Amino acid sequence: VVACLIIVLALVWTMPEIPKTVKTGEICLPSEIGPLKCGSTADLLHGYLEREIATKYDEVKRQDQEKQENHLKKVSARLMNIYDKSFWEMKPAAKLTGKEQPDLRKSDISADMVPIREWCNGRELYDTKGFIRYGIRYRNGRLVVPVDGTYFIYSNLDFFESCNPSSGLPDVKDINKPIKHGIFKFNILEGEEEELVSNVQPHTISTNRYYNSYNSYVSSLAVLKAGDELSVKVSNITY
């Protein structure tokens, strides 16, 4: 209240001379389109204070942003001195190795692609070259992204399928259905799954007539948001 009274008094002292035709219940104040505007005291005062406060708020906001930027520069320099370059290399990262998969769910039996639901994680990573660090989380066979950013994603898989020894043809129901491998993302806020990168290969005739082996590597740069969940899918999990 005191601050408002001070502002009003300051406005009154600095106002130009008020015209003599001003009626009771009216006031004259500087406007956004001219030096002076007369009208309803409440409306003009409200509008004028709103404009002045908005200007002051923008100035305070700009000063606060400058302080934050200067503080960040000082903190960054101090951290660089303490941790050297390792501080800037602390980016979200993960590398997982697959393991034996559970039985197919009913919803996956007729699906075009099936997610790999089991990966070595937690203490199991100690026996592998895998790791999860700097905010990445493992949840239900998926990797959850901690912060927005551009990520390099990749997946490498080896496939094996049995073949008919008499002909070398793949022992599958539909040889025209290709072998697929891809990386997908899902965000609970969007509710839809999106394919980020994939690889498609046709079935081939086995040279040894007993089995076929395939290698599939996919990679891409992906713009991800915090909370995005990454999963790997294949057309046939039995491979």
Side-chain angles (χ1 to χ4, degrees), residues 147-166:
V147 292
D148 298 359
T150 301
Y151 291 77
F152 174 71
I153 58 174
Y154 73 94
S155 175
N156 183 68
L157 293 176
D158 291 317
F159 297 99
F160 297 91
E161 65 177 355
S162 59
C163 297
N164 190 326
S166 63

Side-chain angles (χ1 to χ4, degrees), residues 101-111 113-115 117 234-238:
Q101 298 299 299
D103 294 334
L104 284 178
R105 299 180 180 180
K106 291 183 179 180
S107 58
D108 291 335
I109 294 177
S110 59
M113 297 186 76
V114 180
R117 300 188 183 278
V234 294
S235 56
N236 191 331
I237 198 70
T238 63

Side-chain angles (χ1 to χ4, degrees), residues 51-65:
R51 292 195 304 273
E52 288 296 312
I53 291 173
T55 302
K56 294 297 181 181
Y57 175 79
D58 290 340
E59 177 64 19
V60 171
K61 186 176 180 181
R62 184 188 63 79
Q63 293 177 355
D64 184 60
Q65 185 173 357

Side-chain angles (χ1 to χ4, degrees), residues 70-88:
N70 293 333
H71 177 70
L72 180 60
K73 290 179 181 178
K74 293 179 180 179
V75 172
S76 300
R78 183 171 62 85
L79 290 174
M80 281 292 287
N81 291 331
I82 297 174
Y83 298 107
D84 198 18
K85 295 181 179 179
S86 62
F87 174 74
W88 299 110

Side-chain angles (χ1 to χ4, degrees), residues 5-18 27-29:
L5 291 176
I6 293 174
I7 293 174
V8 172
L9 289 175
L11 293 177
V12 173
W13 288 333
T14 57
M15 279 194 307
E17 185 178 352
I18 299 177
I27 193 174
C28 295
L29 292 174

Side-chain angles (χ1 to χ4, degrees), residues 51-237:
R51 292 195 304 273
E52 288 296 312
I53 291 173
T55 302
K56 294 297 181 181
Y57 175 79
D58 290 340
E59 177 64 19
V60 171
K61 186 176 180 181
R62 184 188 63 79
Q63 293 177 355
D64 184 60
Q65 185 173 357
E66 289 181 355
K67 289 181 180 178
Q68 290 183 3
E69 291 176 354
N70 293 333
H71 177 70
L72 180 60
K73 290 179 181 178
K74 293 179 180 179
V75 172
S76 300
R78 183 171 62 85
L79 290 174
M80 281 292 287
N81 291 331
I82 297 174
Y83 298 107
D84 198 18
K85 295 181 179 179
S86 62
F87 174 74
W88 299 110
E89 294 173 356
M90 294 169 62
K91 299 176 181 179
K95 179 181 178 182
L96 300 181
T97 302
K99 58 193 246 184
E100 186 176 352
Q101 298 299 299
D103 294 334
L104 284 178
R105 299 180 180 180
K106 291 183 179 180
S107 58
D108 291 335
I109 294 177
S110 59
D112 186 49
M113 297 186 76
V114 180
I116 299 177
R117 300 188 183 278
E118 294 290 341
W119 299 86
C120 292
N121 66 94
R123 293 182 178 275
E124 296 173 326
L125 291 175
Y126 296 164
D127 299 325
T128 71
K129 294 182 180 179
F131 56 84
I132 299 178
R133 59 177 67 133
Y134 307 136
I136 293 283
R137 289 181 294 131
Y138 176 85
R139 183 169 64 200
N140 299 327
R142 299 179 177 184
L143 291 176
V144 184
V145 175
V147 292
D148 298 359
T150 301
Y151 291 77
F152 174 71
I153 58 174
Y154 73 94
S155 175
N156 183 68
L157 293 176
D158 291 317
F159 297 99
F160 297 91
E161 65 177 355
S162 59
C163 297
N164 190 326
S166 63
S167 63
L169 292 174
D171 188 13
V172 295
K173 292 182 179 180
D174 186 2
I175 196 172
N176 294 317
K177 184 179 180 180
I179 299 171
K180 299 179 182 179
H181 165 218
I183 302 176
F184 292 74
K185 79 168 183 177
F186 173 81
N187 193 299
I188 193 172
L189 297 178
E190 299 172 356
E192 294 184 0
E193 196 168 46
E194 178 184 347
E195 179 183 295
L196 298 177
V197 61
S198 64
N199 177 36
V200 179
Q201 299 183 52
H203 294 273
T204 60
I205 298 176
S206 172
T207 56
N208 61 37
R209 293 182 176 269
Y210 290 98
Y211 68 90
N212 268 330
S213 64
Y214 307 88
N215 177 266
S216 178
Y217 175 82
V218 294
S219 65
S220 177
L221 290 174
V223 178
L224 304 176
K225 297 183 296 185
D228 282 347
E229 302 178 16
L230 299 180
S231 62
V232 176
K233 288 187 175 185
V234 294
S235 56
N236 191 331
I237 198 70

